[in-house]
């Protein structure tokens, strides 16, 4: 059945197994609810509010008063964005371990990562001021995108606008050529996946003729499931879920940079990088296009994709 296939499972939250419904553990669970909602949540709200006050009281004067000093202004704004992202992580009691060398600002390189939630950007941004390519969102998220995050050189697109693809592709090529631009971060899956699987990487990031630096992000589900199911939950509710959990725990690996091999196509390059990320984060590769999340595939299409994926795996095994 459709709800049991590998495509559907990529975009489903996996609720934790119930453990508290007995006479011994239920009182402890109730105490935990009181602590999380009555103590931790108010403290976290205060921490995030203080973060925004500090950020805005510094960002607005810098953005307005340093208009003619672009280099200094951008440097300070980058630091301030890192700072507010750190406050966001603190508001979840985030425990993040970063492995490998910290990304540097160099021309002709792009960073690609698997994608579980919009908080991936926050987790990565608190360490490095990336310019990200991202779907344009409505509401307060969209307001932040069009104001604060624009200072990082971020690139926005609308998934429903076909003409956006050519515009975005040109902006990507221009961005990676600049030595003073923030490192470019792309989530080539194009949608959030539940941190158990990786779906097909879009080839755009692998056609730029530059070095591709893979990043693997893996969340520990012991305390909270960090997957954002945007079809069922607003990002505001997603943040509230994180702020009322015990903690957000994850590992981030900055992996060995990769370049296009002789005779390798952009699609093959994308699959090779996806394999590197999947192995490091312990994720299962599946042969689906993430955009099919918004228009479910037919049974015939699923069968063709599974057959094509199996042939690709067999071919790789024969080459080894």
């Amino acid at each position: 059945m459709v709800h049991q296939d590998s495509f559907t499972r990529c975009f489903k939250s996996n609720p934790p197994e119930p453990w508290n419904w007995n006479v011994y553990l239920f009182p402890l669970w109730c105490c935990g609810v009181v602590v999380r909602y009555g103590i931790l949540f108010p403290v976290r709200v205060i921490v995030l509010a203080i973060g925004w006050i500090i950020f805005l009281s510094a960002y607005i004067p810098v953005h307005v008063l340093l208009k003619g000093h672009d280099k200094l202004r951008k440097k300070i704004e980058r630091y301030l964005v890192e700072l507010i992202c750190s406050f966001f992580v603190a508001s979840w009691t985030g425990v993040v371990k970063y492995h490998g060398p910290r990304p540097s600002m160099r021309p002709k390189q792009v960073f690609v990562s698997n994608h579980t939630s919009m908080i991936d950007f926050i987790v990565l941004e608190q360490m490095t001021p990336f310019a990200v390519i991202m779907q344009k969102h409505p509401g307060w998220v969209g307001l932040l995108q069009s104001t604060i995050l624009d200072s990082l050189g971020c690139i926005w697109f609308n998934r429903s606008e076909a003409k956006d693809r050519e515009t975005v592709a040109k902006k990507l090529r221009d961005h990676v050529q600049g030595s003073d631009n923030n490192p470019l971060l792309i989530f080539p899956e194009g949608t959030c996946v539940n941190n158990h699987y990786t779906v097909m990487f879009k080839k755009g990031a692998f056609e730029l003729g530059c070095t591709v630096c893979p990043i693997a992000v893996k969340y520990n589900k012991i305390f909270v499931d960090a997957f954002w199911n945007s079809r069922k939950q607003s990002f505001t509710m997603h943040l509230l879920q994180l702020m009322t959990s015990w903690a957000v725990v994850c590992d981030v690996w900055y992996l060995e940079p990769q370049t296009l091999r002789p005779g390798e196509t952009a699609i093959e390059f994308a699959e090779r990088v996806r394999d590197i990320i999947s192995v490091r984060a312990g994720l299962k590769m599946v042969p689906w296009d993430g955009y099919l999340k918004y228009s479910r595939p037919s049974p015939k299409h699923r069968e063709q994709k599974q057959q094509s994926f199996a042939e690709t795996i067999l071919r790789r095994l024969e080459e080894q």
Side-chain angles (χ1 to χ4, degrees), residues 269-317:
F269 187 19
E271 285 298 287
R272 178 162 60 86
V273 171
R274 179 163 77 113
D275 182 58
I276 292 171
I277 292 174
S278 300
V279 170
R280 176 63 273 184
L283 307 174
K284 183 179 178 181
M285 295 174 63
V286 292
W288 304 117
D289 184 336
Y291 282 175
L292 293 174
K293 173 183 179 180
Y294 304 95
S295 57
R296 294 298 175 85
S298 65
K300 182 178 180 181
H301 182 81
R302 292 198 304 272
E303 184 179 345
Q304 290 174 344
K305 278 291 182 182
Q306 288 172 335
Q307 182 178 355
S308 174
F309 187 65
E311 290 174 353
T312 301
I313 295 298
L314 288 173
R315 187 163 56 249
R316 287 183 182 176
L317 291 174

Side-chain angles (χ1 to χ4, degrees), residues 9-56:
R9 288 199 299 267
C10 295
F11 309 108
K12 289 180 65 176
S13 299
N14 296 305
E17 295 183 6
W19 57 269
N20 51 297
W21 302 117
N22 63 60
V23 68
Y24 306 108
L25 296 177
F26 184 68
L28 294 176
W29 179 81
C30 290
C31 290
V33 171
V34 172
V35 171
R36 287 188 290 115
Y37 286 85
I39 300 176
L40 292 181
F41 179 61
V43 169
R44 289 165 174 172
V45 170
I46 292 171
V47 167
L48 189 58
I50 292 173
W52 275 112
I53 292 171
I54 294 172
F55 173 79
L56 292 175

Side-chain angles (χ1 to χ4, degrees), residues 42-312:
V43 169
R44 289 165 174 172
V45 170
I46 292 171
V47 167
L48 189 58
I50 292 173
W52 275 112
I53 292 171
I54 294 172
F55 173 79
L56 292 175
S57 62
Y59 183 88
I60 293 174
V62 166
H63 189 72
V64 174
L65 299 177
L66 295 181
K67 281 289 186 181
H69 305 81
D70 288 346
K71 190 170 183 179
L72 177 60
R73 176 174 58 84
K74 289 181 179 180
K75 183 178 181 179
I76 298 175
E77 286 177 346
R78 283 197 295 259
Y79 170 76
L80 291 173
V81 171
E82 288 182 24
L83 179 66
I84 189 61
C85 286
S86 296
F87 274 103
F88 265 107
V89 175
S91 73
W92 318 322
T93 315
V95 181
V96 186
K97 289 185 179 181
Y98 298 91
H99 311 269
R102 180 173 176 167
S104 58
M105 292 177 60
R106 297 177 182 173
K108 303 207 69 167
Q109 69 172 3
V110 60
F111 291 81
V112 299
S113 171
N114 59 301
H115 196 24
T116 305
S117 166
M118 207 189 305
I119 72 166
D120 300 338
F121 168 71
I122 298 174
V123 167
L124 296 174
E125 197 75 14
Q126 76 157 351
M127 180 61 68
T128 304
F130 287 109
V132 69
I133 173 171
M134 187 186 295
Q135 163 76 20
K136 184 69 174 178
H137 290 271
W140 66 271
V141 177
L143 179 62
L144 293 182
Q145 288 178 316
S146 59
T147 53
I148 295 170
L149 295 182
D150 259 0
S151 65
L152 298 174
C154 296
I155 300 170
W156 315 120
F157 67 91
N158 191 332
R159 191 175 282 113
S160 61
E161 295 290 337
K163 63 181 181 180
D164 274 9
R165 297 179 184 177
E166 293 182 7
T167 304
V168 167
K170 184 180 185 305
K171 288 181 179 179
L172 290 179
R173 289 192 294 269
D174 293 341
H175 188 99
V176 297
Q177 300 299 326
S179 58
D180 293 331
N181 292 335
N182 291 320
L184 182 63
L185 173 65
I186 298 178
F187 299 106
E189 290 173 295
T191 189
C192 295
V193 187
N194 65 8
N195 214 222
H196 288 280
Y197 301 88
T198 55
V199 297
M200 289 173 56
F201 280 10
K202 301 292 183 295
K203 64 178 182 176
F206 305 90
E207 295 179 315
L208 299 174
C210 58
T211 301
V212 174
C213 306
I215 301 175
V217 181
K218 180 66 175 180
Y219 293 93
N220 189 321
K221 288 185 58 180
I222 291 177
F223 300 107
V224 67
D225 184 0
F227 169 56
W228 177 37
N229 189 341
S230 59
R231 295 172 66 90
K232 295 184 178 181
Q233 186 182 50
S234 69
F235 187 63
T236 301
M237 292 306 298
H238 181 55
L239 287 180
L240 288 175
Q241 178 187 349
L242 300 180
M243 293 176 70
T244 53
S245 68
W246 288 110
V248 174
V249 181
C250 79
D251 286 274
V252 175
W253 291 273
Y254 300 110
L255 304 174
E256 189 72 24
Q258 305 293 317
T259 55
L260 187 69
R261 293 172 178 171
E264 189 176 42
T265 66
I267 294 176
E268 291 170 339
F269 187 19
E271 285 298 287
R272 178 162 60 86
V273 171
R274 179 163 77 113
D275 182 58
I276 292 171
I277 292 174
S278 300
V279 170
R280 176 63 273 184
L283 307 174
K284 183 179 178 181
M285 295 174 63
V286 292
W288 304 117
D289 184 336
Y291 282 175
L292 293 174
K293 173 183 179 180
Y294 304 95
S295 57
R296 294 298 175 85
S298 65
K300 182 178 180 181
H301 182 81
R302 292 198 304 272
E303 184 179 345
Q304 290 174 344
K305 278 291 182 182
Q306 288 172 335
Q307 182 178 355
S308 174
F309 187 65
E311 290 174 353
T312 301

